[in-house]
Coordinates of all heavy atoms in Angstrom, one line a residue:
M1 N 69.3 105.0 89.8 CA 70.5 104.6 90.5 C 71.6 105.5 89.9 O 71.8 105.4 88.6 CB 70.7 103.1 90.3 CG 72.1 102.7 90.9 SD 72.5 101.0 90.4 CE 71.9 100.2 91.9
A2 N 72.4 106.1 90.6 CA 73.5 107.0 90.1 C 74.7 106.1 89.8 O 75.0 105.2 90.6 CB 73.9 108.0 91.2
R3 N 75.3 106.4 88.7 CA 76.5 105.7 88.3 C 77.7 106.6 88.6 O 77.7 107.8 88.1 CB 76.4 105.3 86.8 CG 77.7 104.7 86.3 CD 77.5 104.0 84.9 NE 78.7 103.8 84.2 CZ 79.8 103.1 84.6 NH1 79.9 102.6 85.8 NH2 80.7 102.9 83.8
T4 N 78.7 106.0 89.2 CA 79.9 106.8 89.4 C 80.8 106.7 88.3 O 80.7 105.7 87.5 CB 80.7 106.3 90.7 OG1 81.1 104.9 90.4 CG2 79.8 106.3 91.9
T5 N 81.6 107.8 88.0 CA 82.5 107.8 86.9 C 83.8 107.1 87.3 O 84.2 107.1 88.5 CB 82.8 109.2 86.4 OG1 83.3 109.9 87.5 CG2 81.5 109.8 85.9
S6 N 84.5 106.6 86.3 CA 85.8 105.9 86.6 C 86.9 107.0 87.1 O 86.8 108.2 86.7 CB 86.3 105.2 85.4 OG 85.5 104.2 84.9
L7 N 87.7 106.5 88.0 CA 88.8 107.4 88.4 C 90.1 106.9 87.8 O 90.5 105.8 88.0 CB 88.9 107.3 90.0 CG 90.1 107.9 90.6 CD1 90.1 109.5 90.3 CD2 90.3 107.5 92.0
E8 N 90.7 107.8 87.0 CA 92.1 107.5 86.5 C 93.1 108.0 87.3 O 93.1 109.2 87.6 CB 92.2 108.1 85.0 CG 91.3 107.5 84.0 CD 91.5 108.0 82.6 OE1 92.0 109.2 82.5 OE2 91.2 107.2 81.6
I9 N 93.9 107.1 87.9 CA 95.0 107.5 88.7 C 96.2 107.7 87.9 O 96.7 106.8 87.1 CB 95.2 106.4 89.9 CG1 93.9 106.3 90.7 CG2 96.4 106.8 90.8 CD1 94.0 105.1 91.7
V10 N 96.8 108.9 87.9 CA 97.8 109.2 87.0 C 99.1 109.6 87.8 O 99.1 109.9 88.9 CB 97.4 110.5 86.2 CG1 96.3 110.2 85.3 CG2 97.2 111.7 87.0
S11 N 100.2 109.5 87.0 CA 101.6 109.8 87.5 C 101.6 111.3 87.6 O 101.1 112.1 86.6 CB 102.6 109.3 86.6 OG 103.8 109.7 87.1
E12 N 102.3 111.9 88.5 CA 102.5 113.3 88.7 C 103.9 113.7 88.3 O 104.3 114.9 88.5 CB 102.1 113.8 90.0 CG 100.6 113.6 90.3 CD 100.1 114.1 91.6 OE1 100.9 114.6 92.4 OE2 98.9 114.0 91.9
L13 N 104.7 112.8 87.8 CA 106.1 113.0 87.5 C 106.6 112.0 86.6 O 106.0 111.0 86.4 CB 106.9 113.1 88.8 CG 107.2 111.8 89.5 CD1 108.4 112.0 90.4 CD2 106.0 111.4 90.4
V14 N 107.8 112.2 86.0 CA 108.5 111.3 85.2 C 109.2 110.3 86.2 O 109.9 110.7 87.1 CB 109.5 111.9 84.3 CG1 110.3 110.8 83.6 CG2 108.9 112.9 83.3
A15 N 108.9 109.0 86.0 CA 109.4 108.1 87.1 C 109.4 106.6 86.4 O 108.8 106.3 85.4 CB 108.6 108.0 88.3
N16 N 110.1 105.7 87.1 CA 110.0 104.3 86.8 C 109.0 103.6 87.6 O 108.9 103.9 88.9 CB 111.4 103.6 87.0 CG 112.4 104.2 86.2 OD1 112.3 104.2 84.9 ND2 113.5 104.6 86.7
V17 N 108.2 102.6 87.1 CA 107.3 101.9 87.9 C 108.1 100.7 88.6 O 108.7 99.9 88.0 CB 106.1 101.2 86.9 CG1 105.3 100.3 87.8 CG2 105.4 102.3 86.2
L18 N 108.1 100.9 90.0 CA 108.9 100.0 90.8 C 108.1 98.8 91.1 O 108.6 97.6 90.9 CB 109.4 100.7 92.1 CG 110.4 100.2 92.9 CD1 111.7 99.9 92.1 CD2 110.7 101.0 94.1
T19 N 106.9 99.0 91.7 CA 105.9 97.8 91.9 C 104.5 98.2 91.7 O 104.2 99.4 91.8 CB 106.0 97.4 93.4 OG1 105.6 98.4 94.3 CG2 107.5 96.9 93.8
I20 N 103.7 97.2 91.4 CA 102.3 97.4 91.3 C 101.6 96.7 92.5 O 101.9 95.5 92.6 CB 101.7 96.9 89.9 CG1 102.4 97.7 88.8 CG2 100.2 97.1 89.9 CD1 102.1 97.0 87.5
E21 N 101.0 97.4 93.3 CA 100.5 97.0 94.6 C 99.1 96.4 94.6 O 98.6 95.9 95.5 CB 100.5 98.0 95.7 CG 101.9 98.7 95.9 CD 102.9 97.7 96.5 OE1 102.5 97.0 97.4 OE2 104.0 97.7 96.0
V22 N 98.3 96.5 93.5 CA 97.0 96.0 93.3 C 96.9 95.1 92.0 O 97.8 95.1 91.1 CB 96.1 97.1 93.2 CG1 96.0 97.9 94.4 CG2 96.4 98.0 92.0
A23 N 95.8 94.4 91.9 CA 95.5 93.6 90.7 C 94.1 94.0 90.3 O 93.3 94.5 91.1 CB 95.5 92.1 91.0
E24 N 93.7 93.8 89.0 CA 92.4 94.0 88.5 C 91.4 93.2 89.3 O 91.7 92.0 89.7 CB 92.3 93.6 87.0 CG 93.1 94.7 86.2 CD 92.9 94.4 84.6 OE1 92.0 93.6 84.3 OE2 93.6 95.0 83.9
G25 N 90.4 93.8 89.8 CA 89.3 93.2 90.6 C 89.5 93.4 92.1 O 88.6 93.2 92.9
D26 N 90.7 94.0 92.5 CA 91.0 94.3 93.9 C 90.1 95.5 94.3 O 89.9 96.4 93.5 CB 92.4 94.7 94.2 CG 93.3 93.5 94.2 OD1 92.9 92.3 94.0 OD2 94.6 93.7 94.4
R27 N 89.6 95.5 95.5 CA 88.9 96.6 96.1 C 89.9 97.4 96.9 O 90.8 97.0 97.5 CB 87.9 96.1 97.2 CG 87.1 97.1 97.8 CD 85.9 97.5 97.2 NE 85.2 98.5 97.9 CZ 84.6 99.6 97.4 NH1 84.6 99.7 96.1 NH2 84.1 100.6 98.1
V28 N 89.9 98.8 96.6 CA 90.8 99.7 97.2 C 90.0 100.8 98.0 O 88.8 101.0 97.6 CB 91.7 100.4 96.3 CG1 92.7 99.4 95.6 CG2 91.1 101.2 95.2
E29 N 90.6 101.3 99.0 CA 90.0 102.4 99.8 C 90.8 103.6 99.6 O 92.0 103.6 99.1 CB 90.0 102.1 101.3 CG 89.2 100.9 101.6 CD 87.7 100.9 101.3 OE1 87.2 102.0 101.3 OE2 87.1 99.9 101.0
A30 N 90.2 104.8 99.8 CA 91.0 106.1 99.7 C 92.2 106.0 100.5 O 92.2 105.6 101.7 CB 90.1 107.3 100.1
G31 N 93.4 106.4 99.9 CA 94.6 106.4 100.7 C 95.4 105.1 100.5 O 96.6 105.1 100.9
D32 N 94.8 104.1 99.9 CA 95.7 102.8 99.7 C 96.7 103.1 98.6 O 96.4 103.8 97.5 CB 94.8 101.7 99.1 CG 93.9 101.1 100.2 OD1 94.1 101.5 101.5 OD2 93.1 100.3 100.0
T33 N 97.9 102.6 98.7 CA 98.9 102.6 97.7 C 98.6 101.7 96.6 O 98.3 100.5 96.7 CB 100.3 102.3 98.3 OG1 100.6 103.2 99.3 CG2 101.4 102.3 97.2
V34 N 98.5 102.2 95.3 CA 98.2 101.3 94.2 C 99.5 101.0 93.3 O 99.6 100.0 92.7 CB 97.1 102.0 93.3 CG1 95.8 102.0 94.0 CG2 97.4 103.3 92.8
V35 N 100.4 102.0 93.3 CA 101.7 101.9 92.5 C 102.8 102.5 93.3 O 102.5 103.6 94.0 CB 101.5 102.5 91.1 CG1 102.9 102.5 90.4 CG2 100.5 101.8 90.3
L36 N 104.0 101.9 93.2 CA 105.2 102.6 93.8 C 106.1 103.0 92.7 O 106.5 102.2 91.8 CB 105.8 101.6 94.8 CG 106.9 102.2 95.7 CD1 106.4 103.2 96.6 CD2 107.5 101.1 96.5
L37 N 106.3 104.3 92.6 CA 107.2 104.8 91.5 C 108.6 105.1 92.1 O 108.7 105.3 93.4 CB 106.6 106.1 91.0 CG 105.2 106.0 90.3 CD1 104.8 107.4 89.9 CD2 105.3 105.0 89.1
E38 N 109.5 105.2 91.3 CA 110.9 105.5 91.7 C 111.4 106.6 90.8 O 111.4 106.5 89.5 CB 111.8 104.3 91.6 CG 113.3 104.5 92.1 CD 114.2 105.0 91.0 OE1 114.0 104.6 89.8 OE2 115.0 105.9 91.4
S39 N 111.9 107.7 91.4 CA 112.5 108.7 90.7 C 113.6 109.4 91.4 O 113.4 109.6 92.7 CB 111.4 109.9 90.4 OG 112.0 110.9 89.6
M40 N 114.8 109.5 90.8 CA 115.9 110.2 91.5 C 116.2 109.4 92.8 O 116.5 110.0 93.8 CB 115.7 111.7 91.7 CG 115.6 112.4 90.3 SD 115.5 114.1 90.3 CE 115.2 114.7 92.0
K41 N 116.1 108.0 92.7 CA 116.4 107.2 93.9 C 115.5 107.3 95.1 O 115.7 106.9 96.2 CB 117.9 107.3 94.4 CG 118.8 107.0 93.2 CD 120.3 106.9 93.7 CE 121.1 106.6 92.5 NZ 122.5 106.3 92.9
M42 N 114.3 108.0 94.9 CA 113.4 108.1 95.9 C 112.1 107.3 95.5 O 111.8 107.2 94.3 CB 112.9 109.6 96.1 CG 113.9 110.5 96.6 SD 113.5 112.3 96.7 CE 111.8 112.2 96.9
E43 N 111.5 106.6 96.4 CA 110.3 105.8 96.2 C 109.1 106.7 96.5 O 109.0 107.3 97.5 CB 110.3 104.6 97.0 CG 111.4 103.6 96.7 CD 111.3 102.3 97.6 OE1 110.5 102.2 98.5 OE2 112.2 101.5 97.4
I44 N 108.2 106.8 95.5 CA 107.0 107.7 95.6 C 105.7 106.8 95.5 O 105.5 106.2 94.6 CB 107.0 108.7 94.6 CG1 108.3 109.6 94.6 CG2 105.7 109.6 94.6 CD1 109.2 109.3 93.5
P45 N 105.0 106.6 96.6 CA 103.7 105.9 96.6 C 102.7 106.7 95.8 O 102.6 107.9 96.1 CB 103.4 105.6 98.0 CG 104.0 106.7 98.8 CD 105.3 107.1 98.0
V46 N 101.9 106.1 95.0 CA 100.7 106.7 94.3 C 99.5 106.1 95.0 O 99.3 104.9 95.0 CB 100.8 106.4 92.8 CG1 99.5 107.0 92.1 CG2 102.0 106.9 92.2
L47 N 98.7 107.0 95.5 CA 97.5 106.6 96.3 C 96.3 106.8 95.7 O 96.1 107.6 94.8 CB 97.5 107.5 97.6 CG 98.8 107.6 98.4 CD1 98.6 108.5 99.5 CD2 99.2 106.2 98.9
A48 N 95.3 105.8 96.0 CA 93.9 105.9 95.4 C 93.3 107.1 96.1 O 93.3 107.3 97.3 CB 93.1 104.7 95.8
E49 N 92.6 108.0 95.3 CA 91.9 109.1 95.9 C 90.6 108.8 96.5 O 90.0 109.6 97.2 CB 91.7 110.2 94.7 CG 93.1 110.7 94.2 CD 92.9 111.4 92.8 OE1 91.8 112.0 92.6 OE2 94.0 111.6 92.2
R50 N 89.9 107.8 96.0 CA 88.7 107.3 96.6 C 88.6 105.8 96.6 O 89.4 105.1 95.8 CB 87.4 107.9 95.9 CG 87.3 107.6 94.4 CD 86.0 108.0 93.9 NE 85.8 108.0 92.5 CZ 85.5 106.9 91.8 NH1 85.4 105.8 92.3 NH2 85.5 107.0 90.5
G51 N 87.7 105.2 97.2 CA 87.5 103.8 97.2 C 86.9 103.3 95.9 O 86.2 104.0 95.3
G52 N 87.0 102.0 95.6 CA 86.5 101.4 94.5 C 87.1 100.1 94.1 O 87.8 99.5 94.8
T53 N 86.8 99.6 92.9 CA 87.3 98.4 92.4 C 88.3 98.7 91.2 O 87.9 99.4 90.4 CB 86.3 97.4 91.9 OG1 85.4 97.1 93.0 CG2 86.9 96.1 91.4
V54 N 89.4 98.1 91.3 CA 90.4 98.3 90.2 C 90.0 97.6 88.9 O 89.7 96.4 89.0 CB 91.8 97.7 90.6 CG1 92.8 97.8 89.4 CG2 92.4 98.4 91.8
T55 N 89.7 98.3 87.9 CA 89.2 97.8 86.7 C 90.2 97.6 85.5 O 90.1 96.9 84.6 CB 88.0 98.5 86.1 OG1 88.4 99.9 85.9 CG2 86.8 98.5 87.0
A56 N 91.4 98.4 85.7 CA 92.4 98.4 84.7 C 93.7 98.8 85.3 O 93.8 99.7 86.1 CB 92.1 99.2 83.5
I57 N 94.8 98.1 84.9 CA 96.1 98.4 85.3 C 96.8 98.7 83.9 O 97.0 97.9 83.0 CB 96.9 97.4 86.0 CG1 96.2 97.1 87.4 CG2 98.3 97.8 86.2 CD1 96.7 96.0 88.1
K58 N 97.3 100.0 83.7 CA 97.8 100.5 82.5 C 99.3 100.4 82.3 O 99.8 100.9 81.3 CB 97.3 101.9 82.2 CG 95.8 102.1 82.2 CD 95.2 101.4 81.0 CE 93.7 101.7 80.9 NZ 93.1 101.3 79.6
V59 N 100.0 100.0 83.3 CA 101.5 100.0 83.4 C 102.0 98.6 83.8 O 101.2 97.9 84.3 CB 102.0 101.1 84.2 CG1 101.8 102.5 83.7 CG2 101.6 100.9 85.6
T60 N 103.2 98.4 83.5 CA 103.9 97.2 84.0 C 105.2 97.6 84.8 O 105.7 98.7 84.6 CB 104.3 96.1 82.9 OG1 105.2 96.8 82.0 CG2 103.0 95.6 82.2
V61 N 105.7 96.7 85.6 CA 106.9 97.0 86.4 C 108.1 97.3 85.4 O 108.2 96.5 84.4 CB 107.2 95.8 87.4 CG1 108.6 96.0 88.0 CG2 106.2 95.7 88.4
G62 N 108.8 98.3 85.6 CA 109.9 98.7 84.8 C 109.6 99.8 83.8 O 110.5 100.3 83.1
D63 N 108.3 100.0 83.5 CA 107.8 101.1 82.6 C 108.3 102.4 83.1 O 108.4 102.7 84.2 CB 106.3 101.1 82.5 CG 105.7 100.0 81.6 OD1 106.5 99.3 81.0 OD2 104.4 100.1 81.6
V64 N 108.7 103.3 82.1 CA 108.9 104.7 82.5 C 107.7 105.5 82.1 O 107.2 105.5 81.0 CB 110.1 105.3 81.6 CG1 110.3 106.7 81.9 CG2 111.4 104.4 81.9
V65 N 107.2 106.2 83.1 CA 105.9 106.9 82.9 C 106.2 108.4 82.9 O 107.2 108.9 83.5 CB 104.9 106.6 84.0 CG1 104.4 105.2 83.9 CG2 105.4 106.9 85.4
Q66 N 105.3 109.2 82.2 CA 105.5 110.6 82.1 C 104.4 111.3 83.1 O 103.4 110.6 83.4 CB 105.4 111.1 80.7 CG 106.3 110.4 79.7 CD 107.7 110.7 80.0 OE1 108.1 111.9 80.2 NE2 108.5 109.7 79.9
D67 N 104.6 112.5 83.3 CA 103.5 113.3 84.0 C 102.3 113.2 83.3 O 102.2 113.5 82.1 CB 104.0 114.7 84.2 CG 103.1 115.7 84.9 OD1 102.2 115.1 85.8 OD2 103.1 116.9 84.8
G68 N 101.2 112.7 84.0 CA 99.9 112.6 83.3 C 99.5 111.3 82.8 O 98.4 111.0 82.4
D69 N 100.4 110.4 82.7 CA 100.2 109.1 82.3 C 99.2 108.3 83.2 O 99.4 108.4 84.5 CB 101.5 108.2 82.0 CG 102.3 108.6 80.9 OD1 101.8 109.4 80.1 OD2 103.3 108.0 80.7
V70 N 98.3 107.6 82.6 CA 97.3 106.8 83.5 C 98.0 105.5 84.0 O 98.6 104.8 83.2 CB 96.0 106.4 82.7 CG1 95.1 105.5 83.6 CG2 95.3 107.7 82.3
L71 N 98.0 105.3 85.3 CA 98.5 104.2 85.8 C 97.5 103.1 86.1 O 97.7 101.9 85.8 CB 99.3 104.5 87.2 CG 100.3 105.7 87.1 CD1 100.8 106.0 88.5 CD2 101.4 105.3 86.2
V72 N 96.4 103.4 86.8 CA 95.4 102.5 87.3 C 94.0 103.1 87.1 O 94.0 104.4 87.3 CB 95.6 102.2 88.8 CG1 94.6 101.2 89.3 CG2 96.9 101.4 88.9
V73 N 93.0 102.4 86.8 CA 91.6 102.9 86.6 C 90.9 102.2 87.8 O 90.9 101.0 88.0 CB 91.0 102.6 85.3 CG1 89.6 103.0 85.2 CG2 91.8 103.2 84.2
V74 N 90.1 103.0 88.5 CA 89.2 102.5 89.6 C 87.8 103.0 89.3 O 87.5 104.1 89.0 CB 89.7 103.1 90.9 CG1 88.7 102.6 92.1 CG2 91.1 102.6 91.3
D75 N 86.8 102.0 89.4 CA 85.4 102.2 89.3 C 84.7 102.1 90.7 O 85.2 101.4 91.5 CB 84.7 101.2 88.4 CG 84.9 101.7 87.0 OD1 85.1 102.9 86.7 OD2 85.0 100.8 86.0

């Protein structure tokens, strides 16, 4: 049985975490919004690249994230 590797969904810019759209244990599909970031008064949705189950949320609302910071982990 093949085991898939975890997918770390990362920020691609410096931004504030506006909302977290998922909870640990939630099932997501490719293209689902997992986190909504805010930068320079623009809202930027962060999308799941593939389907899976959310196993970890690494940020909280109000956090300032940097480019490359892990936001959510999906297995």
